[in-house]
Amino acid sequence: MSVFLPSATPHRCQIILARFPLAKDIMSTSLHASSEALHQRFSDLFARIAEGAVARENDRRLPYEEVRQLKEAGFSALRVPKELGGSGVSLEDFFYVLIRLGEAESNLPQILRVNAGFTELLHERKDDADTRRWLGVIGSGKTFGASTSERNAATGNSALLEKDADGRLRLNGEKYYSTGTLYADWVLVRAHDSESDFNVLVQADAKGVERIDDWDGFGQRLTGSGTTRFHNVPVPQDQVLDRYQVSQPRRNSIITSFYQTFHLATLSGIARAALRDAVAFTQPRTRTFGVPGNSSPRENPLVHRVVGRLASLAWSAEQLTLSIAREQDALNAARRAGTVTTEDYNALDIHTFQAQQVVIGQVLEATTLLFEVGGASATSETRRLDRHWRNARTLASHNPAIQREAAVGNYHLNGEPHNERFGSGYA
């Protein structure tokens, strides 16, 4: 029996599940099987990535090789249709396997976040030759980074796309928070002219593109989220993707939810890593704080409580994240069927922000609680357990939770939709 979920709104899903008591079990079993099969495809690669995570962190070695291996394995093209070189997986399966990559090394999902978001933007565009062209580029193993945000006195878009004396388009400007651009083949740039804003695509190694590794955040140190400069870079007309007004709110798109869920998936992976490392740290130890002689912490009921709490936090964060992914899948299906409404999109954003308020707290708790299993020896830099909290705190700061929480309250009190002004650009 198949069950079609016509909308992303939870009350509709609940009605369907009430009418078909076995539907929930059938869907979860089927999706779990496909997610696990996808994970098995990458499990050996993820294991190798995890083995080198601490050394990369301590040496600040940028993971160019690991990104290359993920591209070659098809990870960066998971959401691209099969006929265009990808795997065509669902969003739930995608986020399931992304959580496990985040568990192996939380810098790597962030490096590929813009590439994944650009893929979703393409899915929402008109299915024409231009859209299929760029999906095919991703399907071939090429990836996209972003250069959209700036560090100016006021929020704005100062990168200029202008015609030179010969009528050819040239790009000039400087961007920061260029996540993934150091590792990318293409760069998605937010630029403007005298009339409007643009999404412009330029090759990362094009003449005049300067990528600088100057990201100085205390977490996510290897993501390459620093400066990109554009010095009179030539831009062919077919690399100008969209014209829009960045000051206008984005409507009827899952992209705000998608980008935030991407963070939640990485955070969920960090919680799983905290549990993994707590267990690995505790199991071989033969001494417990305050107990003379040999006393295995793994037999200590207090340590049992800590690990039990870590396991619960990691599980809960993952389930909340995947519930949003299922809602995105259902909304996409309704969009293709022509039954989606603006309220469905509004509800998806609010549900995502509600999940954010819970998941961030759970993961920050887990990455602090981790140290309760080991005392001072757990703080050794050779273990780098502190990276879990630093990375989680940095990710949690990207989209301020206080603003999201206010949007949730305003929606419930006054029925006002979330009003994010990113136009068609990067969130």
Side-chain angles (χ1 to χ4, degrees):
M1 177 179 66
S2 61
V3 179
F4 172 61
L5 301 181
S7 172
T9 49
H11 71 277
R12 296 186 188 178
C13 294
Q14 290 164 2
I15 291 171
I16 291 172
L17 296 179
R19 290 174 57 199
F20 299 95
L22 296 179
K24 183 177 179 181
D25 291 337
I26 292 171
M27 288 190 295
S28 63
T29 301
S30 173
L31 289 169
H32 180 73
S34 63
S35 297
E36 273 300 319
L38 185 62
H39 178 220
Q40 286 303 312
R41 172 179 161 187
F42 295 100
S43 59
D44 289 344
L45 175 56
F46 289 177
R48 294 195 300 272
I49 287 171
E51 287 175 3
V54 173
R56 285 192 298 274
E57 181 79 13
N58 283 335
D59 299 339
R60 204 182 181 283
R61 180 178 68 78
L62 299 180
Y64 288 107
E65 176 61 19
E66 288 73 20
V67 173
R68 183 191 65 78
Q69 291 175 6
L70 286 167
K71 291 182 184 182
E72 290 184 352
F75 190 91
S76 56
L78 284 174
R79 286 281 296 153
V80 173
K82 291 181 179 180
E83 65 270 21
L84 296 175
S87 298
V89 306
S90 69
L91 282 166
E92 181 171 14
D93 284 352
F94 172 74
F95 281 120
Y96 182 93
V97 76
L98 185 73
I99 289 169
R100 277 134 190 89
L101 176 60
E103 177 184 2
E105 162 66 279
S106 65
N107 287 280
L108 287 167
Q110 186 73 355
I111 288 169
L112 296 172
R113 180 173 180 253
V114 172
N115 184 75
F118 182 50
T119 304
E120 296 310 310
L121 283 171
L122 291 171
H123 278 304
E124 291 190 337
R125 293 179 87 231
K126 180 181 178 181
D127 184 14
D128 57 13
D130 194 44
T131 296
R132 296 178 72 82
R133 170 197 174 188
W134 293 111
L135 282 170
V137 170
I138 300 171
S140 73
K142 304 298 184 183
T143 57
F144 289 73
S147 292
T148 57
S149 301
E150 302 178 11
R151 291 199 297 185
N152 297 325
T155 301
N157 177 19
S158 65
L160 287 173
L161 184 67
E162 299 177 300
K163 289 184 178 179
D164 62 17
D166 297 322
R168 293 173 297 187
L169 293 173
R170 299 280 178 174
L171 177 65
N172 287 279
E174 179 177 306
K175 300 288 185 175
Y176 194 66
Y177 303 112
S178 304
T179 304
T181 296
L182 279 179
Y183 308 88
D185 303 286
W186 288 83
V187 187
L188 174 64
V189 187
R190 178 180 293 161
H192 76 100
D193 61 7
S194 59
E195 298 179 3
S196 64
D197 301 281
F198 297 90
N199 281 326
V200 177
L201 301 171
V202 298
Q203 289 185 298
D205 58 356
K207 183 179 179 181
V209 177
E210 181 184 8
R211 294 175 286 174
I212 304 168
D213 179 24
D214 61 349
W215 167 242
D216 63 353
F218 62 65
Q220 296 295 94
R221 292 174 173 175
L222 309 181
T223 57
S225 301
T227 300
T228 306
R229 297 192 180 107
F230 304 93
H231 307 279
N232 212 31
V233 179
V235 180
Q237 186 62 48
D238 66 355
Q239 290 174 208
V240 179
L241 191 67
D242 296 303
R243 179 188 286 269
Y244 63 97
Q245 296 291 339
V246 74
S247 61
Q248 296 300 312
R250 177 169 43 231
R251 296 297 189 200
N252 292 356
S253 170
I254 73 162
I255 202 64
T256 294
S257 172
F258 178 86
Y259 273 126
Q260 186 56 56
T261 308
F262 205 98
H263 280 324
L264 298 183
T266 310
L267 286 165
S268 298
I270 291 173
R272 287 177 60 93
L275 171 63
R276 175 201 67 203
D277 288 351
V279 171
F281 180 88
T282 302
Q283 283 182 332
R285 293 178 65 79
T286 59
R287 52 183 292 192
T288 301
F289 176 78
V291 179
N294 288 347
S295 176
S296 174
R298 66 187 298 171
E299 304 299 335
N300 188 319
L302 297 179
V303 176
H304 294 173
R305 287 195 61 186
V306 172
V307 174
R309 179 66 177 169
L310 287 172
S312 302
L313 292 167
W315 178 85
S316 178
E318 178 171 349
Q319 296 308 308
L320 277 171
T321 300
L322 293 179
S323 73
I324 300 298
R326 286 191 290 272
E327 192 167 338
Q328 292 168 355
D329 276 328
L331 191 149
N332 279 340
R335 175 174 57 84
R336 291 190 294 270
T339 60
V340 70
T341 68
T342 296
E343 177 53 32
D344 291 333
Y345 286 104
N346 293 339
L348 173 64
D349 281 348
I350 294 302
H351 298 158
T352 307
F353 299 161
Q354 290 173 168
Q356 178 188 14
Q357 304 313 307
V358 178
V359 170
I360 287 175
Q362 289 175 328
V363 178
L364 290 176
E365 178 186 348
T367 55
T368 299
L369 186 63
L370 163 64
F371 292 93
E372 295 297 328
V373 301
S377 58
T379 66
S380 170
E381 290 191 347
T382 61
R383 300 181 184 277
R384 271 294 171 216
L385 298 181
D386 61 303
R387 77 187 189 280
H388 298 316
W389 183 89
R390 288 187 291 99
N391 291 344
R393 181 63 268 176
T394 301
L395 285 167
S397 301
H398 276 66
N399 302 110
I402 55 172
Q403 293 185 6
R404 304 304 202 201
E405 196 161 61
V408 170
N410 193 29
Y411 177 82
H412 285 288
L413 284 170
N414 302 310
E416 293 189 15
H418 173 57
N419 200 25
E420 189 151 65
R421 288 177 171 83
F422 282 116
S424 299
Y426 166 69

